[in-house]
Amino acid sequence: MSPRRPDRRSEEAAKAVVQAAMELCREVGFRKLSIEGIAARAGVGKNTIYRWWPSKAAVLLDGLLTTWRTDATFPDTGDFVADIKTQMAAASRILGDPDVFPHYRALIGEAQHDPEIHRALWDSFIGHLAGAAADRIRIAQREGQVRPDADPDLVTELLYGAAYYRRLLTPRTADTEHIDAIVDLAFTGLAPPAE
């Protein structure tokens, strides 16, 4: 659940606020985005926004959650490596969408110093996807495709952490070839082959 406050009177006004925040963030960037600008674009008062959301980041998070619907369902073809590659590539494509990525990156930045945004981003989005990945890993463990002693949460962090690192912290993109290389390396390991 996002950090939107529940005492909303007008869903129409709320939608106008979220739409204004998304549009303005695209136009001026997150740093220049302001509650005043959002209020003016949406045709509502600043106090109305603050009554419903604690910050501009909270408004933006609601915008992403209403426009970015990610299916966390993992394919299950019986080949875990192929399935995880497919799902990771799909997530990377969605994250790389130019209408999504700048907003998402801004929220990740805000989450580093705003505990409410951090918790809301985890509870409403990231945690759901991480949980679905861990569940798929448990299935692969039962099928003998992943070591039974591997912690599913750690495997999720290993695989997805590498893709997030590339997308969020480097100028390179996490394309299909990169996703394949991450998964292949994870499954073959770093130890040199036995002689």
Side-chain angles (χ1 to χ4, degrees):
M1 182 96 178
S2 73
R4 184 195 307 176
R5 293 180 178 155
D7 55 343
R8 171 150 311 117
R9 290 187 184 138
S10 167
E11 282 298 320
E12 187 174 310
K15 287 178 186 175
V17 168
V18 167
Q19 181 176 346
M22 297 291 283
E23 290 170 358
L24 283 169
C25 194
R26 273 189 217 92
E27 293 169 19
V28 303
F30 182 77
R31 286 188 351 173
K32 293 182 180 177
L33 182 66
S34 68
I35 293 294
E36 292 81 6
I38 296 169
R41 172 77 59 100
V44 301
K46 280 190 335 182
N47 290 338
T48 298
I49 295 176
Y50 281 121
R51 191 167 52 245
W52 296 339
W53 291 275
S55 66
K56 66 182 184 179
V59 180
L60 190 60
L61 178 57
D62 262 6
L64 279 181
L65 293 175
T66 57
T67 60
W68 183 12
R69 296 290 178 211
T70 301
D71 184 4
T73 304
F74 276 66
D76 189 352
T77 64
D79 180 347
F80 175 71
V81 170
D83 293 346
I84 197 79
K85 286 179 179 180
T86 297
Q87 203 286 331
M88 287 179 67
S92 184
R93 278 192 303 277
I94 293 167
L95 183 60
D97 184 318
D99 288 332
V100 171
F101 183 62
H103 303 324
Y104 185 67
R105 181 173 48 196
L107 288 170
I108 291 291
E110 283 298 297
Q112 304 316 299
H113 57 83
D114 183 332
E116 193 171 344
I117 290 297
H118 186 273
R119 184 175 48 258
L121 193 57
W122 177 262
D123 290 346
S124 60
F125 182 67
I126 298 171
H128 177 62
L129 296 177
D135 289 344
R136 180 64 183 90
I137 291 162
R138 287 182 190 94
I139 292 169
Q141 287 175 315
R142 288 193 298 270
E143 294 172 345
Q145 296 182 60
V146 173
R147 281 179 20 195
D149 63 330
D151 178 348
D153 294 324
L154 185 58
V155 174
T156 300
E157 291 170 11
L158 173 71
L159 296 172
Y160 285 86
Y164 270 84
Y165 166 81
R166 184 137 185 188
R167 174 69 70 186
L168 293 170
L169 299 175
T170 76
R172 299 170 294 173
T173 60
D175 57 19
T176 302
E177 290 79 22
H178 180 68
I179 299 294
D180 289 352
I182 291 169
V183 176
D184 289 343
L185 186 58
F187 275 82
T188 58
L190 293 173
E195 293 183 11

